[in-house]
Amino acid sequence: MNARVLAFIVVTVGVLILSGIAAPNVRAASAPTLSIVSPTPNAVIGNGSPVVVVFAVTNFNLTDPGNGTSSPDSGHVDVFVDGGWTANASVNTIVLALPSGPHTIRLQLVTDNGSALNPNVTASVAVMVTLGPAGGTPGLSIFFPREGALVGTDSTVSFRVTNFVLVAPGGPAGVPNEGHVRVLLDGASYADLTDDAPLHLNLKDGAHTVTLQLVDNAGRPLNPDVSVSLLITVQALVGRVTPFDATPYLALVNILLGLGILAAIYRKLEAK
Amino acid sequence: MMSGGRRSADRRAVLLAVTVLLGIVLFAGASPSAAAAGPSLSILAPTNDQIVGNGTPVIVSFAVANFVLVQPGRVGQVAGPSEGHVDLYLDGVYSRLLTRVEPVSLPLESGPHTIRLELVQDNGTALNVSASVRVITTHGPAVGTPTITIVSPKPGPTISHDLYFALEVTNFTLVDAHGQPNAPNEGHVQLFLNGVLHQEPRAYDLGFIVDMPDGNSTVIARLVNNDNTPLTPDVSASVTVRILGAADPTASEQVTAGVSLILALILLVLLLRRRNAARRVAQPNEKS
């Protein structure tokens, strides 16, 4: 074979091979696919942040809905949250503002007129949204009064919560790092706190134990339990200065003076 | 002669062909980024270490050069170094896939954050072209010096043992602390009663201290960060109130003492008159 022809063939074959390597997806027109890149399954989305869903498609052109051309390899994505249609998207990132609790996000490729592909192409992911932080261990501490303190009838207990957000009871159960504070007074349920304002107490004299406990939205203690107890002694009028009152003694003097007057009058009458 | 010259030309042709092939392989495989002349990516806003205040989302504006942003996974798409998309990472975590050069709004929690953008080919291969920016987000204002003033109570005497403390805060946003990171001009208030930390009022709530002791008490209100550390420099205000104790029983004492005085005078008069009477009775006897 002529060497020039051979060289031409080698170069041509090489170029063709390289073209094939560089564009493998051209080699076969496959069915469209859809996958969710982010968030990962069962991810916890903290601080009440919106859920950012990033998805990838193959062999499918994303187009804005309503452009008029429906074909099985172009269209948009319908977004379903907890089974209900929520939005559509023609870009690969969707931002969803979701309330606290577990959610299932399902994406579905649809043609421009909204009909599902055949076969149906979907992808879904489960996430957990919380108003609390996504990570970290919840903490609870009392910084006033100190253990064993002597306090008056009216008193306040100040506490701190970390890595946990206080919300009103009744929200979805099982949401991490979110719930309220249960107050136990001498072992009995006393109040539920939904914010970190100081706890106001009005107690009888004597020793009392105040226990604060973090509980989830369903009122169940966290696992492991997060609680703190405080022993205080209540005494009325602590810190009050009582001034000296001479009135009782003066009253006694008055009685004696009165008796003296009566005696003097009696003697005078007797003398007459 | 001719045969030898032709063979030599053939060898040169084969050598040239192999060289061209090798060049193509090296060009296409070994240095893909060189295929398109230098894709570049830059972040136009925000600037590095910018403070984004008032809890507003961070708007990221970026520019791309020598690179075409396209939707990945299009039908018949051929991956190449001159087209692809932008991946956005927030604090190292993959966050968004961008196919349009338009500002991106990122609602972020207070604190420092790093936003990184990276050019990626359609097949997901990174081009090692990236740009990043550090920002600090806060619910407070981006600038300004925080101040705190105790509006009520005023210094001086008061008869109540339970006092509300009204505070005025400027250039500082009060948030409820739950372990979140520190952020400029954001935090909460601590109330100290006679030097002892007493309470941390909720955001924009009044402080309320009950059962305060009689006498002088000094309450300090201090602005602190989310982690309870004081601001630098310290921002605090104080007020000294004098709690008046139980009223002195002067009125009842005075009335009772007055009655005692009257009774004593009556008794004294009676005794004097009796004494005088006794003298008058005694004097006639002496004369006789």
Side-chain angles (χ1 to χ4, degrees):
Chain A
M1 185 183 288
N2 187 316
R4 287 180 182 169
V5 173
L6 179 65
F8 176 76
I9 292 170
V10 168
V11 170
T12 306
V13 168
V15 169
L16 288 174
I17 290 170
L18 284 171
S19 302
I21 291 170
N25 51 357
V26 177
R27 282 174 288 177
S30 306
T33 66
L34 171 65
S35 60
I36 294 176
V37 180
S38 174
T40 54
N42 302 312
V44 177
I45 313 297
N47 305 309
S49 302
V51 180
V52 180
V53 180
V54 179
F55 64 90
V57 298
T58 61
N59 305 310
F60 194 79
N61 295 345
L62 292 173
T63 56
D64 290 330
N67 71 356
T69 55
S70 272
S71 70
D73 57 5
S74 73
H76 55 272
V77 169
D78 273 348
V79 183
F80 298 84
V81 176
D82 301 329
W85 183 89
T86 304
N88 58 44
S90 55
V91 292
N92 295 76
T93 299
I94 308 159
V95 180
L96 299 170
L98 301 180
S100 281
H103 298 284
T104 300
I105 300 165
R106 187 169 66 85
L107 307 183
Q108 181 181 32
L109 291 185
V110 296
T111 60
D112 185 69
N113 62 13
S115 57
L117 304 189
N118 188 14
N120 200 6
V121 180
T122 66
S124 65
V125 66
V127 296
M128 177 69 79
V129 178
T130 174
L131 294 174
T137 305
L140 177 63
S141 61
I142 294 174
F143 62 87
F144 183 86
R146 299 288 181 197
E147 175 75 10
L150 181 67
V151 299
T153 305
D154 264 346
S155 62
T156 53
V157 174
S158 299
F159 60 95
R160 278 191 193 124
V161 171
T162 54
N163 293 321
F164 194 85
V165 168
L166 300 179
V167 298
V175 178
N177 300 344
E178 178 185 305
H180 55 278
V181 175
R182 174 160 299 152
V183 182
L184 303 171
L185 180 63
D186 299 326
S189 185
Y190 181 79
D192 281 340
L193 306 179
T194 58
D195 59 50
D196 53 6
L199 167 67
H200 192 175
L201 296 173
N202 190 292
L203 302 176
K204 292 179 180 174
D205 284 6
H208 297 279
T209 301
V210 180
T211 302
L212 306 183
Q213 181 182 45
L214 294 184
V215 297
D216 65 13
N217 287 328
R220 294 178 306 216
L222 305 189
N223 187 15
D225 182 46
V226 179
S227 62
V228 60
S229 290
L230 173 74
L231 176 67
I232 54 174
T233 302
V234 175
Q235 181 183 312
L237 302 177
V238 165
R240 305 295 174 87
V241 177
T242 307
F244 177 72
D245 185 3
T247 308
Y249 305 100
L250 290 172
L252 183 63
V253 169
N254 288 351
I255 291 169
L256 293 174
L257 287 170
L259 290 173
I261 291 167
L262 286 174
I265 293 170
Y266 178 76
R267 279 197 153 191
K268 192 174 180 180
L269 291 172
E270 197 178 39
K272 284 180 180 177
Chain B
M1 281 288 285
M2 282 219 21
S3 169
R6 185 173 179 144
R7 207 174 295 138
S8 174
D10 288 349
R11 276 201 207 104
R12 278 200 301 272
V14 170
L15 193 64
L16 183 65
V18 170
T19 305
V20 168
L21 180 59
L22 200 62
I24 291 171
V25 168
L26 289 173
F27 187 75
S31 56
S33 58
S40 68
L41 172 66
S42 58
I43 295 176
L44 306 177
T47 56
N48 218 19
D49 295 324
Q50 181 176 331
I51 296 174
V52 181
N54 303 312
T56 53
V58 177
I59 309 296
V60 180
S61 297
F62 63 98
V64 171
N66 301 319
F67 194 78
V68 179
L69 294 185
V70 294
Q71 174 225 316
R74 291 177 67 84
V75 177
Q77 194 168 48
V78 178
S82 60
E83 76 166 33
H85 55 272
V86 175
D87 279 346
L88 187 152
Y89 294 83
L90 180 61
D91 298 326
V93 177
Y94 183 64
S95 177
R96 297 183 190 212
L97 188 157
L98 309 173
T99 55
R100 294 173 184 171
V101 182
E102 57 188 27
V104 184
S105 175
L106 300 175
L108 302 180
E109 187 200 358
S110 288
H113 299 281
T114 300
I115 300 162
R116 187 167 68 86
L117 303 182
E118 185 174 34
L119 292 186
V120 178
Q121 291 185 53
D122 294 319
N123 59 8
T125 306
L127 288 176
N128 291 327
V129 178
S130 65
S132 66
V133 65
R134 292 188 309 271
V135 295
I136 301 169
T137 55
T138 174
H139 286 97
V143 293
T145 304
T147 67
I148 186 168
T149 310
I150 298 177
V151 179
S152 174
K154 299 292 183 191
T158 176
I159 57 168
S160 175
H161 288 81
D162 304 335
L163 290 179
Y164 282 101
F165 289 83
L167 310 170
E168 186 177 271
V169 171
T170 61
N171 294 322
F172 194 84
T173 296
L174 300 175
V175 297
D176 293 333
H178 54 77
Q180 69 268 51
N182 288 346
N185 299 343
E186 172 188 313
H188 56 279
V189 173
Q190 289 183 338
L191 288 182
F192 294 80
L193 175 61
N194 296 325
V196 177
L197 176 60
H198 194 281
Q199 62 182 246
E200 295 171 344
R202 288 198 68 211
Y204 298 100
D205 261 6
L206 296 171
F208 184 46
I209 300 181
V210 299
D211 220 7
M212 291 176 69
D214 290 340
N216 286 336
S217 290
T218 300
V219 172
I220 297 173
R222 170 172 290 146
L223 294 182
V224 296
N225 293 305
N226 290 329
D227 67 353
N228 302 304
T229 56
L231 304 188
T232 306
D234 182 46
V235 180
S236 60
S238 68
V239 63
T240 299
V241 292
R242 184 158 59 87
I243 310 291
L244 300 177
D248 288 346
T250 49
S252 60
E253 272 179 345
Q254 284 173 352
V255 169
T256 316
V259 171
S260 298
L261 189 63
I262 293 167
L263 291 174
L265 286 172
I266 293 170
L267 185 61
L268 186 64
V269 168
L270 286 172
L271 290 175
L272 286 174
R273 289 185 67 176
R274 184 168 179 271
R275 190 177 174 182
N276 291 339
R279 274 186 191 162
R280 278 198 297 270
V281 170
Q283 278 173 356
N285 291 344
E286 284 172 8
K287 286 178 183 174
S288 64

